[in-house]
Amino acid sequence: MALKNQYLSDLLSRVKQRNRAEDEFIQAVTEVLESLEPVAEKRPDLVSAGVFERIVEPERVIMFRVPWVDDSGKVQVNRGFRVQFNSAIGPYKGGLRFHPTVYLGIIKFLGFEQIFKNSLTTLPMGGGKGGADFDPKGKSDGEVMRFCQSFMTELCRHIGSDLDVPAGDINVGGREIGFMYGQYKRIRNEFAGVLTGKGLTFGGSLARTEATGYGLCYFTENMLNANGSSFKGKTVVISGSGNVAIYATQKATELGGKVVALSDSNGYIYDPDGIDLDCVKQLKEVERKRIKEYVATHPNATYTEGCNGIWTIKCDIALPCATQNEIDGASAEILVKNGCKAVAEGANMPSTPEAIEVYLKNGVYYGPAKAANAGGVAVSGLEMSQNSERLSWTFEEVDGKLKDIMKSIFDACDEKSKEFGLPGNYMAGANIAGFLKVAEAMKAQGVV
Ligand code: NDP
Ligand code: 2IT
C-alpha cells in the first residue's frame, strides 16, 4: 500500500533514508504511518506540532560494550543496547532481548512498537527496548550470570524506577532478571522497582509470568466474541514454546480450545490429542531442552524439522508467539486455505506486511501484536504500582485487572477502527488509538 498523504509519504522517505540498514524498524514505521493517514488528514494540529516527525526518532540510543569471561577463561565481547524511544506519557518501559540476531534495527523496531502498546494499556508508561547480541544457548548458569552482571554494570547508569524500567523478552526470563537485579542493587545501593518480571521473593508481581500468554487469549476471546465466536471447540496452533507460548497454551485450553502444535527455532511438534503442557513446561522451563524431546514420551505426536511448516497445520486460530516475520504471505495463504479464521499475535511483528494483507483481504480476524500481546507490559505496569506502594496484590486481583485491561484494549481498537472508517481493521484501530494518546501528550508538552 502506497501512502497517498504527501506529508506522511515524504516523512517515510526520510525515515528510510536515515535508517537505511534497519529493515525491521522501517517495516514497523511503514505499517504505523500507513494506518495514521486518516489521522494526519483529520488532525492538522498534530502535523504542525511535528508529532509525526518526532515520534519516529528515538529520544536517546545507548550502545555499549559488554565484556565477560567464559568458562574456559576466554574473554568474550557482546554489544548491548537500550533505546529510550518516547517518554511522553511515562518512564521508558520495555523488555530486554538476548539473541544473536539482535542489532540496532531490531531494538528500534521493538522500542517503536512499545510506544503504542504501552499507550494502549491505559497505564502511564513510555516506550523503550534493549538487549544484546548474546546467545544464551549452550551457556552455563555461571556464564549467563557473568554476562548479565557485565550488561547491568553499564545499563544501571541509564535506568531508574522513574526513568526507565526494563523487563524480559526473548531469552530474558526470571533467571536473567534476577542476576541483573542483584547487580543493579549492588552497584546503585538501592532496592528499587527498576526491573519488572522479578522473582516473587523480591518485588515481583504474581501473574507476570503468565501475563503475556493469558492476555493474548483474553484479547483473542474478546475479538472472537465481538464476531460471534469463541475459543470453545476450536483447534489452535501456537508457535514458539517459550514464556508467551506456554501460557497462551494454558489459557487457550482453559477457554475450551485445543492446542495441537508448538515449535522452537529448530522445528515443530504436532499432537492431535492436544498438547500436554506439563511435559512442555518440564522440558522448556526446568530442563531447558529442545521441543523435539516431547515426542519421546508422546507416541501420537510427531516432530518436523524447520519451524515455518507449523503454519501448514489445519487450525481455526493461529497464535504466533515466537519472533518477528515468522508468518510470510505464503504461510498466511495456507492458513486461510485451511480455514483459519483468526490470527492474534503474541510475538512482536510476527506477520510480514504481505501476510497482513492476506488476513485483511480474506476477512481473517487479526489481532495485531501491539494490542494482543500488551498484557505482559500491562502487568509489568502493575508490578511498578505494587513496588511503589510496597504491597503485593493477589493473583486473582492482578489477573482480574489484566482481563479488564485486555478488554479495554480490544474495545479501543474496535472503536477507533470504526471512528476512522475501517471497521474490523483492528491493526488500524490499535495504531490510531495508541498513537493519539501519546500525540496529545507530545503536543501539550511542546517541542521537546
Ligand atoms: P522466550 O525466549 O521465552 O521464547 C521464545 C520462543 O520463540 C522459543 O521457543 C524460541 O525458540 C522461539 N524463537 C525465538 N527466536 C526465534 C527465531 N528467530 N526463529 C524461530 N523461533 C524463535 O521468549 P518469549 O516467549 O518471552 O517471547 C516470544 C515473543 O513474544 C517475542 O517476539 C517477544 O518479543 C514477544 N513478547 C514477549 C513478552 C513477554 O512478556 N515475555 C511480551 C510481549 C511480547 P528457541 O528456543 O529455539 O530459540
Ligand atoms: O514486548 C513486550 O511488551 C515485552 N517484552 C514486555 C515488556 C515489559 O516491560 O514487561
Side-chain angles (χ1 to χ4, degrees):
M1 191 184 97
L3 279 162
K4 289 185 277 297
N5 180 291
Q6 194 57 48
Y7 161 73
L8 289 182
S9 167
D10 292 346
L11 175 57
L12 183 58
S13 301
R14 284 202 301 283
V15 168
K16 287 180 175 166
Q17 177 69 19
R18 201 182 233 173
N19 305 282
R20 272 185 292 270
E22 298 170 6
D23 292 344
E24 296 83 1
F25 177 59
I26 290 169
Q27 183 183 335
V29 172
T30 303
E31 181 209 289
V32 169
L33 292 185
E34 284 177 0
S35 291
L36 292 179
E37 277 203 301
V39 180
E41 303 285 342
K42 262 199 191 172
R43 295 292 304 270
D45 59 315
L46 298 179
V47 173
S48 60
V51 167
F52 296 88
E53 288 93 330
R54 287 188 284 142
I55 209 165
V56 297
E57 188 66 21
E59 289 176 15
R60 191 173 300 107
V61 172
I62 301 150
M63 285 174 63
F64 50 98
R65 181 170 70 199
V66 189
W68 55 284
V69 180
D70 70 18
D71 285 348
S72 73
K74 188 172 180 305
V75 173
Q76 300 280 347
V77 176
N78 287 100
R79 184 172 288 175
F81 302 87
R82 187 71 183 167
V83 172
Q84 298 180 330
F85 222 115
N86 193 296
S87 62
I89 65 168
Y92 309 107
K93 180 82 195 90
L96 299 170
R97 175 178 293 190
F98 294 166
H99 198 272
T101 57
V102 162
Y103 76 106
L104 186 58
I106 293 279
I107 302 299
K108 278 174 67 179
F109 115 67
L110 290 163
F112 181 70
E113 292 285 285
Q114 203 80 40
I115 304 170
F116 309 99
K117 183 195 303 195
N118 293 3
S119 165
L120 285 167
T121 65
T122 70
L123 303 174
M125 299 181 290
K129 200 85 188 190
D133 60 358
F134 173 71
D135 186 358
K137 273 203 192 87
K139 304 287 193 298
S140 69
D141 279 355
E143 289 176 321
V144 171
M145 181 178 77
R146 292 195 294 282
F147 174 80
C148 288
Q149 289 176 338
S150 179
F151 183 82
M152 183 52 85
T153 300
E154 172 61 32
L155 187 69
C156 75
R157 48 183 127 231
H158 307 290
I159 61 176
S161 50
D162 291 318
L163 165 63
D164 184 356
V165 182
D169 193 80
I170 290 178
N171 289 327
V172 178
R175 174 180 64 168
E176 292 74 20
I177 294 290
F179 291 150
M180 287 190 275
Y181 192 71
Q183 184 73 349
Y184 179 88
K185 197 162 54 60
R186 180 190 198 188
I187 298 178
R188 302 294 295 260
N189 201 23
E190 62 171 24
F191 195 100
V194 71
L195 293 172
T196 60
K198 298 185 290 299
L200 298 178
T201 52
F202 54 97
S205 174
L206 285 161
R208 174 63 188 88
T209 304
E210 295 82 356
T212 311
Y214 278 21
L216 170 65
C217 292
Y218 296 149
F219 180 93
T220 307
E221 185 75 347
N222 276 290
M223 178 171 79
L224 292 168
N225 288 171
N227 293 285
S229 180
S230 76
F231 265 107
K232 207 161 241 110
K234 302 295 190 303
T235 300
V236 186
V237 165
I238 299 183
S239 63
S241 48
N243 172 265
V244 181
I246 286 174
Y247 293 96
T249 301
Q250 187 173 97
K251 189 53 74 178
T253 308
E254 266 174 49
L255 291 170
K258 182 171 166 188
V259 180
V260 296
L262 287 175
S263 63
D264 60 23
S265 58
N266 293 108
Y268 65 92
I269 53 165
Y270 170 64
D271 188 341
D273 301 333
I275 293 291
D276 168 4
L277 194 60
D278 287 340
C279 170
V280 174
K281 287 175 81 167
Q282 175 67 24
L283 284 174
K284 302 306 278 193
E285 292 183 338
V286 183
E287 298 171 17
R288 296 181 187 273
K289 287 195 173 145
R290 309 307 299 159
I291 198 70
K292 73 168 169 221
E293 304 289 338
Y294 181 93
V295 298
T297 50
H298 293 77
N300 284 344
T302 53
Y303 173 75
T304 309
E305 276 295 323
C307 48
N308 291 349
I310 194 170
W311 308 119
T312 63
I313 298 170
K314 189 172 162 52
C315 65
D316 304 302
I317 300 167
L319 304 177
C321 295
T323 194
Q324 64 278 346
N325 291 327
E326 55 171 314
I327 306 185
D328 60 12
S331 293
E333 295 278 8
I334 297 171
L335 281 169
V336 169
K337 192 165 73 57
N338 284 338
C340 177
K341 291 285 182 300
V343 178
E345 300 178 330
N348 284 305
M349 205 168 76
S351 306
T352 64
E354 295 74 27
I356 297 172
E357 215 174 291
V358 172
Y359 309 148
L360 297 181
K361 205 173 63 202
N362 289 282
V364 172
Y365 310 128
Y366 169 52
K370 57 175 75 69
N373 74 30
V377 74
V379 172
S380 279
L382 301 179
E383 182 170 327
M384 291 165 71
S385 302
Q386 294 169 77
N387 291 166
S388 297
E389 58 174 26
R390 302 281 195 267
L391 290 173
S392 46
W393 307 338
T394 63
F395 190 97
E396 289 67 31
E397 188 171 358
V398 178
D399 189 39
K401 287 186 200 295
L402 172 63
K403 258 183 216 160
D404 292 347
I405 288 172
M406 296 317 295
K407 177 168 189 329
S408 85
I409 293 175
F410 174 74
D411 290 345
C413 296
D414 192 33
E415 274 161 32
K416 283 291 175 253
S417 75
K418 289 173 181 150
E419 185 184 327
F420 284 82
L422 297 159
N425 184 337
Y426 307 124
M427 170 181 72
N431 286 333
I432 294 169
F435 171 78
L436 279 173
K437 178 176 167 188
V438 179
E440 301 293 1
M442 288 175 73
K443 183 185 160 198
Q445 292 170 22
V447 178
V448 291

